[in-house]
Amino acid sequence: MSQLIDGRAISAQIHSETAARVAELARRGIVPGLAFVRVGEDPASVVYVGMKEKKSRELGIRSVTHVLPSSTTQAELVALLKALNSDPTVHGILVQAPLPSHIDSSVIYGTVLPGKDVDGFHPINVGRLMLGDTGGFLPCTPAGVHQLLIRSGIPMDGAEVTVLGRGNIVGKPMAAILLQKARHANCTVTLCHSGTRDIARHTQRADIVIAAMGVPRFLKAEMIRPGAVVIDVGVNRIPDPTAPNGSRLVGDVDFEAVREKAAWITPNPGGVGPMTIALLLSNTATAAGAPAAG
Ligand code: GUN
């Protein structure tokens, strides 16, 4: 039976560090401002942005949410972002993904000023990560996974890590973070995706498996080696006739079976999920001028 990696406890620790940094900013007369932009009524996005707003308020971050109809044009969204870019009370800007299909997300994420890009999606921040320049913003979910590993004391130097999923929000930046020649990194990273021939061959040799490909309960116990560390980033809605609304959320890991064989595992919910908000608000404190925590 494995030990649980408690994302709720670790995110609470990061929130209290952020609250202290926000208090230090207040002593300098600065109130961090975070603008949320949501386009359309994707039910998951409504919930996520609501949770992020609530936590911002609790930490003393002033948040403003712009909700636009799904018919919003790309030009209208760009115009709003330019106004937020030039508003000195706004230190961070988050455009919730997914965007409607008529909007080119690369144009949108490229419009947010890199210094206000607390999501870490601007090409300059992506490029800084690839170059090993620590001056940029890291995307919140992979940075949150990294903090889970660091704060759980999991050794990473030289570890074999297999990441499942090559998305721009998690898989690709996750691999880039862990292969840096740096403390708490220096891993040998294998990035698997839908074109990978034999995924189990790669997960079976890994010290750490990070599942972020969006396939319900994909990672089975026989796919890991005993004593592995397993991180489940997946959030998948599956039909469940016994649930009140006919569906429920499951991760990318077959949790009950895998936990019997792993040394460490994230519960889901309560693992990676709370970390995304923690890193977002930490990035916002950094954007407002508080030095990033060690
Ligand atoms: N949608 C899913 N994850 C994220 C995230 O980290 N940031 C934004 N902006 N949208 C998301």
Side-chain angles (χ1 to χ4, degrees), residues 157-239:
D157 195 328
E160 290 265 359
V161 179
T162 296
V163 178
L164 305 181
R166 61 178 149 189
N168 289 331
I169 294 183
V170 185
K172 276 194 244 174
M174 187 80 253
I177 289 169
L178 292 175
L179 59 74
Q180 301 294 327
K181 190 165 186 174
R183 194 158 162 257
H184 300 309
N186 211 24
C187 303
T188 301
V189 181
T190 303
L191 185 51
C192 296
H193 47 75
S194 52
T196 301
R197 234 177 288 135
D198 181 359
I199 290 182
R201 190 163 66 85
H202 301 290
T203 52
Q204 276 159 354
R205 66 160 186 275
D207 302 305
I208 302 171
V209 181
I210 300 171
M213 86 283 253
V215 179
R217 293 203 208 93
F218 176 86
L219 190 76
K220 308 287 185 214
E222 57 273 20
M223 295 172 71
I224 66 158
R225 65 165 188 72
V229 176
V230 176
I231 308 287
D232 186 359
V233 187
V235 181
N236 309 291
R237 188 163 287 284
I238 60 162

Side-chain angles (χ1 to χ4, degrees), residues 36-37 42 45 48-49 52 93-99 109 118-121 139-142 169-170 276-277 280:
F36 296 105
V37 180
D42 172 68
S45 294
Y48 289 143
V49 172
K52 291 171 188 177
I93 301 171
L94 179 141
V95 184
Q96 185 68 28
L99 288 167
Y109 292 118
V118 287
D119 244 339
F121 292 168
C140 304
T141 302
I169 294 183
V170 185
T276 301
I277 301 184
L280 169 71

Side-chain angles (χ1 to χ4, degrees), residues 237-285:
R237 188 163 287 284
I238 60 162
D240 179 358
T242 67
N245 63 352
S247 70
R248 71 193 162 94
L249 295 175
V250 297
D252 287 354
V253 173
D254 184 9
F255 179 80
E256 291 307 331
V258 172
R259 76 181 302 194
E260 298 297 326
K261 199 169 171 190
W264 292 86
I265 190 168
T266 53
N268 189 348
V272 175
M275 296 300 291
T276 301
I277 301 184
L279 272 290
L280 169 71
L281 301 183
S282 169
N283 279 352
T284 303

